[in-house]
Amino acid sequence: MWRRVASLSSFLSSYSTSFVAQTASRLNTWESLTTRIAQQANGFIAPKEKTPFITFVLGGPGSGKGTQCIKIVETFGFTHLSAGDLLRREIDSNSADGAMILNKIKEGKIVPSQLTVKLIQKGMESSDNDKFLIDGFPRTEENRVSFEQIIGIEPNVVLFFDCPEEEMVKRLLNRNQGRVDDNLETIKTRLKVFEALSLPVINYYSQRGKLYTIRARGTEDEIFEQVRPIFTAFEACHRAVE
Ligand SMILES: Nc1ncnc2c1ncn2[C@@H]1O[C@H](COP(=O)(O)OP(=O)(O)O)[C@@H](O)[C@H]1O
Ligand SMILES: O=c1ccn([C@@H]2O[C@H](COP(=O)(O)OP(=O)(O)O)[C@@H](O)[C@H]2O)c(=O)[nH]1
Ligand SMILES: [Mg+2]
């Protein structure tokens, strides 16, 4: 469905007086947003009939990734694959790796890449959808490379929820989902891991022109209004070729 688009730039520029344009101006100017998206869609060459459209959803712990993914799913029909949820499911199913995964999560450390990528791969293969939100992954450069090697596709879009540390800590301590890692000691490690290992991944995608940074403070709805124009523009690209 999300196939290569032949001539998007002209379509997108004629779209610039729409409601979407007004909304998009809060994030970027509409022109620069649509130009970027057209370039990315044009660079997306489908090697087989159904190549998935992949969005990586990144940000520190408590930045609101999961919360915003729910809204993206409701509005744009993506399938949500949270790497953390997939790993927690492995623990709950008493799999051979369960104890190791639990330890890593308790310590705020990163689970070996191959394992996480295989779980994501299974999630993608068991879905009929061709639009995926991969939430909380890749968290390290090694994660990123492993995904590219095993899945063989690069993300089309990378969202980065940029949130001040004190706000993330406050949210995590109030998350109230009974998670073993929502305690101050683990949170401190997770913030260090984020800075040391995850920020390089974010910088990598910024350099590749795939990064959309969202200011992740404010109400959930306010934050979603920064996210919405990105996917609206991609949908517009998609409709243009149907
Ligand atoms: N904009 C927001 N303002 C206040 N609290 C939020 C906001 N977005 C999410 N939360 C809350 O913060 C906590 C962490 O959000 P979550 O989506 O789980 O973040 P992440 O997946 O990035 O760790 C949750 O309890 C969630 O309800
Ligand atoms: O690709 C991943 C995703 C998660 N985790 C582990 O799972 C924890 C919780 O991740 P999740 O994405 O659920 O946390 P969030 O950022 O949403 O709070 C992380 O701290 C890691 O220990 C991991 O090792 N690799
Ligand atoms: Mg989450």
Side-chain angles (χ1 to χ4, degrees), residues 59-69 135 139 161 167-168 170-172 174-177 179 182 190 216-221 223:
S63 59
K65 302 181 292 297
T67 304
Q68 293 297 320
C69 280
D135 167 9
R139 275 178 141 91
F161 289 93
E167 175 72 18
M168 295 195 278
K170 199 169 77 184
R171 289 183 192 173
L172 292 173
N174 286 316
R175 182 148 55 181
N176 223 7
Q177 291 174 1
R179 278 179 49 167
D182 282 347
R190 298 181 70 202
R217 220 174 188 170
T219 67
E220 292 174 14
D221 286 344
I223 295 165

Side-chain angles (χ1 to χ4, degrees), residues 177-196:
Q177 291 174 1
R179 278 179 49 167
V180 293
D181 51 350
D182 282 347
N183 61 79
L184 204 49
E185 201 191 332
T186 311
I187 290 169
K188 279 185 188 161
T189 307
R190 298 181 70 202
L191 290 171
K192 282 190 195 141
V193 166
F194 175 70
E195 205 180 315

